[in-house]
Each structure stands twice: as C-alpha cells, then as structure tokens.
C-alpha cells in the first residue's frame, strides 16, 4: 500500500541546503496560509540558484511536494517564465538585451564580441561549463544601453574593454571560490 | 524645476535611506493621516484635484481608481504595486525603487489606509535584485520606526508590505496577469469585468497602481492637489519621469513638469548622439506608435498632446532615433518582442504577433513580397480590440505607426532587397 502520510518536505530538504529551505519558508510566510501556490516562483528561483542555474524534473517535483501543490502547477510556472532554465546552462549566464534602445547603441556588437571572446554562439555554453550567452528582452536599464546581466548583476554602458573586464573578473571570482572550497575539503 | 516629486531625494547622499527621506518631508503625509487631519475622502479628493494619471502607461485617473475600492466591504483587501517594469525603453521605476524606496512605501501605506486594506504586495520583475535589496532594507527601516506593520504610529491601523518577485514575463505588467502571477500561476490576463477593485488578488478587492503613481501620492498630500495640478497642465497634472534613451548624448531619467516641450527634454538629454540628425521618436515605450522628429519637435510631453498627434505618452519611455535608423529593422525588433511575450491565450494575439514578426523578418531578409505590407496592416487591424488584454493592441499599434510614417522604407526594401537607410 502506498503511504500517503510521508513527509512531503523531505525530498526538497535532501536536494537543497538549509539556508535555501529557510529562504523558501520565509517566502511562504508572505502569503495567506490557505494559499499554496504564491511561493512557487520564489521557490523555483531559489532552487535554480542552488542547482547551477537550471531546474531538473526532480527539483520541480521536490518543490511541488514541499509546497504541497500539483507537479503541473510548478511545471507550468517553470515553463512560462523566461528566467527559469530547463536545460543545463553555464555557472554564469550572460543575458544580453537586444531590444530597441540597446540595439540602437550597439547590442549586436556586444553579442558579436562575446561570441568571439568565449568562442560560442548565443544559446550555447562554454566547454568548461562557465558561461552561457543568451539574448533577452528589455531589462529596464535603457539609460545605460547597451547592457547585459551576469546572473544577478547588471552591467551598463558596455564597451569591448568593459566586457573583457567583466569576463576576467568573473573568471577570477570563480577560481578564488573553487580554491576556497578545496581548502575546506 | 526638476526632480520635485519621485526623485526629490536624489540630490542627497544615500538618497534611499529613511533619514534622507524624512529630511525632505517624508512620512509627514502619513503622520497627518494618522493624526486624523486627513480623512480618506479628503485623500481621494486631493488626488482627483491633482489630475494624477496612472504612470504605468494607461493614464487612468488615480483618484478615480482609488474611489472604486469598496473600503467598507468586510474581509481582506489588497494594495498592489506594479513594479514589473518591462515596457521597452522604460527604466524609471527601477530608479524610484533604488533611490527613493520610502516614498513608494509611504504611498502604499496611505493607499492601504484609504482602502481599508491591511496587506500590500510590491511586484518587482525577477531581474530587479538590486532594487529588491533596497526595498527590503527600506521596509525594515520603516517597520523599526513604526510607519509600517502593526499599530502604525500607535494607531489601530495595521499594514504589512511584502515584496514579490516575478521571473521574466512582460505580460505580468498587465494588472490581472500580475495578480495571477502573485497567486503563483502563469501570467495570463483575466477577463475584465470583474475589475480588480471587485475581484482581484485571491478573489478580494485589489487596487493596482504603478510605482511612480504610488510614489507621487505622499507629495501630493503634503503640498496639495492644486500644487501638483499646477505643475502640469489641466487633465495632465504634476511631473512625469521621462526615460530618455537611444541616439542621445545624455540618456537617463528626467523628472520634469507634465507639458514640458519635447525640444526642452531633448536638450536636457544632451541632444542627438554625436550631433547627428534625428529622424524620429518613439514617445511612450515600444507600444506607442513612432512619430517623425518634425512632428515631435512641435509637441509638449503630456497625455493629451502626444495622444492628439496619433501616439501615446504611455510609460514615458522616450526612444530617440537618428537618421541611421532603419525602420524595417526597428519594426523587426519590436514585432519580435511582442511575439516573444504574447502569453498565448488569445488566438489573434498569439498567431498575429507571430505572423507580423515573420513577415517583417522576411522583408528584412530580402524575401519580401508586394502584398506583405497590406497583409501586415490587415493582421494588425484584426488583432486590435479582439484580445483579453492590451498586449494585442500594443503589438499592433507600433506596426501601424511604422507603416503610416515610413511605408516607403518597407517598399524600398521589398523592391531592392536592401535597406533604404543602410544600403
């Protein structure tokens, strides 16, 4: 017999660290107690952040169990909003705006330079799994066009030099981070 | 005078702090209300007098909207702020959130008081991490001072404010899609009626306003509806933040009086980039039809003047285009955007935005056909007014605008398979 009384929170707790679970609980507290769906977007955002920037079936299932909502409710949110990635992406997702104002100020050159520099096309991920380039629609920073976003941070008034700097900064940050985890081990 | 309303802390160090906000008179309207010197009827009267119109793009009178909320209806009611800034060209709400978060918070608390609502949600687009952090700190500051939370300033009035984050969807800027999104669903707009004031968030009466609208309220109540009205023009009260971008020397946000001549705004933004000749302006975000520069130079920046010229003030996103701009290319970017962002609920929009995008791209590739322009016109006309929300119209209007003023560029490209402008 299937046990319907299993602890539905365990699955996600196994997949995410405690601070991520705490953050999700904090989001749950913002909405009426009888409403289970409102924290879905936040929970998926947090889950994605802890899973190398993308979501898996398993993770979505776990979020659904944790929030006690049908799997489809989570899946339809994950597939509707453009910030969720359902395929593996790089540790750093570079989102380049190519809407009107950024295009007028050279978004295509930004994309071209990134492609040459990282040796990948838009939509692809570098071999070391570090970078993915994607194009996105207006991110409300047109005063600083052309602009791009790396994970959570906006970079505006881009030039080729600035782009090179961003990439080397990010790469450096990454190697520092991996060194510190090595030490911990 | 510039920066008198939503940006009034901008000249200070750490303009986002509570200290900075209080130093310019912040939270004094709330204090007046709590002290019983400003009733909820009076607040609505002042807003109506001020002629504050919705700053998100639709321009609906804010005072009138607030009066629709059934404040005496028992049970929960909600105050929701639309900070899902996404209309291409618009970047003003991001700066209000980053540089003057307390004024938005005060505006929402006042709305809660007027509408008898105890909970508010500020819906920010998912990419707004920096504004989110600022808002979270500001909410904590306001709580610690007793402006927000339980028993506000010792009264019986309670108001909790939460930030909610989206995750990338232009359509969530439509108020009912935004409500669906807070409820944790896909952002697909609802039929109206019922309007949110009757059936909104969680099925309860809900008031949705744009960030700039809420943030204007505290100043209007401090200085009076008449003062605000006099800043602008009749029926177009106050100041407006214009986000100026594109081929311009000094792009950025400019909070100026409603009715400021476009020529003055252009000068403030430093004029054409590199001194080139300007060609056209998209005056109110990418949904607003393009206007040639000759027409724009004779206009003032307010809802009525831009409306009369056949476009709209929208969100105040002024995109300036110089003579190197190929209108067919511009149309392709615009059409692709709406195709990408249609939620897919209504066939005319779901299919029509795809048709328009594909036809314009075909022309751009040099595969245009003689009948394409009439087809574009027809598809645009057939989308308009036939969808649940305004995204359909927003997709159709700019295409019609491009064809109205620059049909010859499309014809040239179809015939010669190259751009009239770029060769």
């Amino acid at each position: 017999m299937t046990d319907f009384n299993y602890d539905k929170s365990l699955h996600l707790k196994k997949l995410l660290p405690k601070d991520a679970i705490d953050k999700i609980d904090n989001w749950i507290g913002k909405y009426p107690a009888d409403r289970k769906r409102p924290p879905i977007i936040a929970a998926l955002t947090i889950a994605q952040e802890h899973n190398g920037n993308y979501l898996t079936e398993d993770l979505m299932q776990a979020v659904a169990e944790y929030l006690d909502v049908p799997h489809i409710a989570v899946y339809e949110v994950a597939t509707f909003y453009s910030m969720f990635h359902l395929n593996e992406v790089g540790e750093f997702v570079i989102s380049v705006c190519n809407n009107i104002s950024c295009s007028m100020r050279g978004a295509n050159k930004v994309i071209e330079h990134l492609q040459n520099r990282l040796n990948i096309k838009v939509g692809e991920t570098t071999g070391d799994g570090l970078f993915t380039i994607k194009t996105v629609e207006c991110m409300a920073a047109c005063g600083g066009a052309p602009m791009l976003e790396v994970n959570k941070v906006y970079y505006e008034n881009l030039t080729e030099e600035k782009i090179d700097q961003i990439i080397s900064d990010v790469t450096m940050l990454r190697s520092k981070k991996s060194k510190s985890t090595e030490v911990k081990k | 005078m510039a920066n008198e309303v939503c940006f009034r802390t901008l000249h200070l160090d750490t303009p986002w702090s509570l200290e900075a906000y209080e130093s310019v008179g912040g939270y004094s309207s709330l204090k007046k209300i709590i002290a019983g010197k400003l009733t909820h009827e009076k607040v609505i009267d002042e807003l109506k007098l001020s002629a504050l119109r919705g700053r998100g793009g639709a321009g609906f009178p804010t005072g009138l909207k607030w009066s629709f909320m059934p404040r005496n209806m028992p049970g929960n009611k909600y105050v929701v702020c639309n900070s899902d800034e996404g209309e291409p060209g618009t970047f003003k709400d991001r700066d209000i959130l980053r540089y003057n978060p307390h004024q938005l918070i005060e505006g929402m608390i006042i709305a809660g008081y007027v509408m008898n609502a105890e909970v508010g949600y500020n819906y920010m687009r998912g990419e707004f991490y920096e504004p989110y952090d600022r808002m979270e700190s500001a909410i904590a500051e306001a709580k610690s001072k007793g402006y927000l939370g339980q028993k506000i300033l010792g009264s019986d009035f309670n108001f909790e404010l939460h930030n909610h984050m989206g995750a990338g969807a232009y359509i969530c800027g439509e108020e009912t899609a935004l409500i669906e999104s807070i409820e944790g669903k896909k952002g697909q707009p609802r039929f109206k009626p019922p309007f949110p004031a009757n059936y909104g968030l969680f099925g309860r009466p809900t008031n949705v306003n744009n960030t700039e609208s809420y943030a204007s309220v505290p100043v209007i109540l401090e200085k009076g509806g008449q003062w605000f009205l006099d800043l602008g023009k009749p029926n177009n009260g106050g100041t407006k933040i214009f986000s100026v971008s594109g081929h311009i020397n000094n792009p950025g946000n400019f909070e100026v009086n409603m009715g400021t001549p476009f020529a003055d705004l252009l000068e403030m933004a430093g004029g054409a980039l590199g001194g080139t000749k300007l060609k056209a302006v998209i005056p109110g975000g990418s949904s607003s039809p393009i206007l040639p520069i000759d027409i724009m130079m004779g206009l003032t920046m307010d809802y009525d003047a831009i409306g009369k010229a056949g476009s709209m003030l929208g969100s105040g996103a002024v995109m300036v285009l110089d003579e190197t701009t190929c209108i067919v290319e511009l149309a392709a970017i615009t059409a692709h955007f709406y195709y990408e962002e249609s939620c897919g609920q209504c066939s005319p929009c779901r299919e029509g935005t795809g048709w328009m995008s594909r036809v314009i791209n075909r022309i751009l590739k040099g595969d245009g056909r003689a009948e394409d322009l009439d087809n574009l016109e027809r598809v645009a006309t057939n989308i308009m007014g036939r969808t649940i929300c305004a995204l359909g119209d927003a997709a159709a209007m700019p295409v019609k605008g491009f064809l109205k003023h620059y049909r010859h560029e499309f014809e040239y490209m179809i015939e010669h398979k190259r751009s009239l402008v770029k060769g």
Side-chain angles (χ1 to χ4, degrees):
Chain A
M1 278 280 285
T2 315
D3 178 10
F4 289 108
N5 294 317
Y6 69 97
D7 183 349
K8 285 183 168 176
S9 72
L10 290 178
H11 191 176
L12 194 68
K13 282 179 179 165
K14 224 165 66 186
L15 297 173
L16 297 180
K18 174 145 192 330
D19 64 313
I21 296 288
D22 289 345
K23 271 192 210 159
I24 293 175
D25 289 344
N26 181 45
W27 279 97
I28 293 172
K30 293 183 173 195
Y31 310 101
D34 60 334
R35 295 281 169 165
K36 292 175 175 170
R37 291 188 188 204
I40 293 176
I41 293 181
L44 284 175
T45 306
I46 292 164
Q48 174 166 282
E49 228 176 279
H50 284 272
N51 189 55
N53 274 333
Y54 74 104
L55 293 167
T56 59
E57 282 276 351
D58 195 35
L59 210 44
M60 287 187 268
Q61 180 70 46
V63 166
E65 287 168 26
Y66 192 81
L67 299 178
D68 194 21
V69 298
H71 178 215
I72 184 68
V74 172
Y75 190 72
E76 69 176 10
V77 166
T79 51
F80 185 84
Y81 295 93
S82 64
M83 285 172 70
F84 297 123
H85 304 125
L86 301 183
N87 290 310
E88 221 170 306
V89 291
E91 195 177 323
F92 298 97
V93 177
I94 305 178
S95 305
V96 189
C97 171
N98 65 349
N99 207 288
I100 298 173
S101 298
C102 283
S103 289
M104 294 304 129
R105 300 296 289 252
N108 279 338
K109 279 188 191 150
V110 171
I111 295 166
E112 216 171 281
H113 185 70
L114 275 171
Q115 292 187 142
N116 291 337
R117 173 74 207 247
L118 298 173
N119 213 7
I120 49 169
K121 294 252 170 290
V122 169
E124 293 177 350
T125 301
T126 50
D128 56 6
L130 215 48
F131 294 104
T132 298
I133 311 174
K134 78 181 209 187
T135 55
V136 294
E137 300 298 349
C138 187
M139 288 198 274
C142 326
M147 64 84 63
L148 57 74
E149 184 194 41
V150 184
N151 291 356
K152 293 180 167 185
V153 183
Y154 279 24
Y155 296 92
E156 303 176 39
N157 300 305
L158 298 172
T159 57
E160 291 194 356
E161 295 74 39
K162 209 163 171 179
I163 295 168
D164 291 343
Q165 190 62 44
I166 294 164
I167 291 173
S168 61
D169 285 355
V170 167
T171 314
M172 211 146 73
L173 195 81
R174 169 57 172 16
S175 57
K176 263 192 204 155
K177 216 168 84 186
S178 57
K179 261 182 209 149
S180 69
T181 47
E182 267 166 38
V183 174
K184 260 190 220 159
K185 275 174 194 165
Chain B
M1 275 283 281
N3 297 345
E4 277 188 279
V5 180
C6 296
F7 284 160
R8 63 177 168 154
T9 58
L10 213 53
H11 61 287
L12 302 168
D13 296 334
T14 61
W16 51 84
S17 65
L18 179 62
E19 200 191 345
Y21 184 55
E22 284 178 326
S23 78
V24 295
Y27 289 110
S28 62
S29 294
L30 179 65
K31 284 178 190 157
K32 243 199 287 188
I33 287 172
I34 297 295
K37 288 178 196 152
L38 205 54
T39 61
H40 60 89
E41 291 102 339
K42 182 78 177 140
V43 170
I44 288 177
D45 287 346
E46 288 296 324
L47 289 182
K48 284 183 177 167
L49 175 64
S50 76
L52 171 66
R53 293 168 63 173
R55 299 297 196 235
F60 190 81
T62 305
L64 191 60
K65 199 182 217 180
W66 283 29
S67 73
F68 293 153
M69 279 291 281
R71 78 180 310 272
N72 295 323
M73 193 190 220
N76 292 338
K77 289 173 277 298
Y78 294 101
V79 170
V80 171
C81 178
N82 185 347
S83 300
D84 188 45
E85 189 166 45
E87 176 71 18
T90 319
F91 48 97
K92 63 190 178 67
D93 298 335
R94 176 169 171 248
D95 279 0
I96 295 174
L97 296 165
R98 289 195 298 168
Y99 300 125
N100 197 7
H102 280 288
Q103 197 160 308
L104 168 62
I105 294 171
E106 187 182 2
M108 289 186 74
I109 301 171
I110 292 169
Y113 177 83
V114 170
M115 296 159 199
N116 240 336
E118 296 202 337
V119 180
Y121 291 99
N122 175 36
Y123 187 110
M124 279 178 280
R125 58 180 300 167
E127 295 89 345
F128 275 4
Y129 291 102
E130 188 192 2
Y132 174 81
D133 288 342
R134 284 273 165 81
M135 276 301 294
E136 286 284 294
S137 317
I139 286 175
E141 274 182 314
K143 273 190 172 168
S144 71
K145 278 279 214 137
Y147 294 135
L148 189 60
Q150 301 297 302
K151 301 208 171 301
I152 289 174
L153 298 172
S155 70
D156 287 334
F157 170 51
N158 306 321
F159 188 74
E160 292 292 342
L161 179 57
H162 304 289
N163 290 312
H164 178 99
M165 298 291 272
Y170 168 74
I171 189 60
C172 291
E174 197 280 340
E175 61 176 1
T176 60
L178 184 144
I179 288 170
E180 287 282 301
S181 185
I182 299 179
E183 292 185 0
K185 303 172 195 160
K186 293 182 285 184
Q188 291 192 319
R190 298 174 178 172
F191 272 113
K192 291 193 272 193
F195 288 92
N198 297 114
Y199 189 94
L201 182 60
F202 307 128
R204 305 295 309 167
T206 302
N207 181 73
V208 186
N209 281 134
N210 170 255
T211 319
E212 190 183 350
S213 307
Y214 280 124
S216 300
V217 172
V219 184
I220 293 172
L221 299 180
E222 250 173 77
K223 303 191 175 173
Q226 188 66 46
W227 170 83
F228 191 78
L229 175 64
D230 291 344
L231 290 177
K233 284 167 60 175
N235 197 34
N236 296 267
T239 53
K240 172 84 191 84
I241 303 174
F242 293 105
S243 302
V244 186
S245 69
H247 296 130
I248 197 89
N249 277 318
N250 179 22
N253 283 314
F254 300 88
E255 184 172 57
V256 296
N257 293 347
M258 199 66 99
T260 296
F262 170 73
D264 293 359
L265 183 64
L266 185 64
E267 203 184 309
M268 277 179 234
L273 183 66
T276 53
K277 198 166 168 268
L278 292 181
K279 177 174 185 168
V281 174
I282 299 173
S286 75
S287 316
S288 65
I290 194 167
L291 292 174
I293 191 72
D294 300 343
I295 296 179
M296 272 313 287
M297 289 309 275
L299 295 179
T300 54
M301 297 302 291
D302 55 84
Y303 296 101
D304 296 343
I306 304 286
K308 249 184 238 158
S311 188
M312 53 182 208
L313 193 71
S315 57
V318 180
M319 291 184 277
V320 179
L321 310 161
D322 73 11
E323 58 185 353
T324 64
T325 310
C326 168
I327 300 296
V328 185
E329 225 172 75
L330 189 64
I333 295 170
T334 310
H336 177 264
F337 172 74
Y338 292 102
Y339 168 53
E340 190 73 27
E341 299 296 341
S342 172
C343 83
Q345 196 173 204
C346 314
S347 311
C349 171
R350 181 186 63 239
E351 304 304 325
T353 51
W355 288 342
M356 292 195 298
S357 178
R358 284 190 292 272
V359 169
I360 296 171
N361 268 310
R362 176 163 83 199
I363 298 171
L364 200 59
K365 270 199 202 148
D367 297 330
R369 303 167 196 167
E371 70 272 20
D372 277 352
L373 299 184
D374 288 340
N375 276 336
L376 269 181
E377 195 97 52
R378 195 165 48 87
V379 172
T381 303
N382 284 333
I383 295 173
M384 287 185 78
R386 291 181 171 83
T387 54
I388 289 175
C389 84
L391 192 142
D393 286 26
M397 284 185 302
V399 170
K400 282 175 161 260
F402 293 133
L403 287 173
K404 181 177 168 195
H405 293 290
Y406 299 96
R407 196 181 176 98
H408 61 282
E409 284 195 30
F410 290 84
E411 285 166 348
Y412 185 93
M413 198 176 274
I414 290 170
E415 197 183 330
H416 298 90
K417 304 190 186 307
R418 58 185 164 84
S419 169
L420 176 67
V421 181
K422 299 196 164 171

